[in-house]
Structures are given as structure tokens and as C-alpha cells.
Amino acid sequence: MLDDLRCACDAPGCDRALGDDQLLVRMVTAAGERRAYECACGAVTVTVVR
Ligand SMILES: [Zn+2]
């Protein structure tokens, strides 16, 4: 299940888990699906889902 994927914030010192509640935008490209998450700390983390 793709929606079960978990990732964590990239910001130094911040290790919050990122999930659907933090999902900012989702883009599907030839390389896969990219998701941008906005953490409560304000940082945006981008992940690629293959
Ligand atoms: Zn964070």
C-alpha cells in the first residue's frame, strides 16, 4: 500500500513522522510519484515513490 509509506522530516534536529496530514502536493512523473510534505516545523520534505 503506497499510503502506508512513512517518511520523516529532513530538517536537522527534527524527526517528525510525515503522513497524509502533512501532504502538501503530489506529482506523478516518468521517474515515479513525488510527494512533498510540509512538516509542523515549516520544512518541506520531498520523497519519491516508485
Ligand atoms: Zn520538521
Side-chain angles (χ1 to χ4, degrees), residues 8-18 21-22 24 36-46:
C9 180
D10 266 350
C14 178
D15 225 3
R16 287 182 177 90
L18 300 172
D21 287 349
Q22 289 79 39
L24 196 61
Y37 294 90
E38 185 174 32
C39 178
C41 75
V44 173
T45 300
V46 177

Side-chain angles (χ1 to χ4, degrees), residues 1-11 14-27 33-50:
M1 293 288 215
L2 289 179
D3 286 340
D4 285 339
L5 181 86
R6 296 199 181 181
C7 55
C9 180
D10 266 350
C14 178
D15 225 3
R16 287 182 177 90
L18 300 172
D20 286 348
D21 287 349
Q22 289 79 39
L23 186 61
L24 196 61
V25 69
R26 179 182 293 190
M27 285 179 293
E33 182 179 328
R34 289 166 197 238
R35 295 180 187 181
Y37 294 90
E38 185 174 32
C39 178
C41 75
V44 173
T45 300
V46 177
T47 64
V48 178
V49 183
R50 286 184 197 83

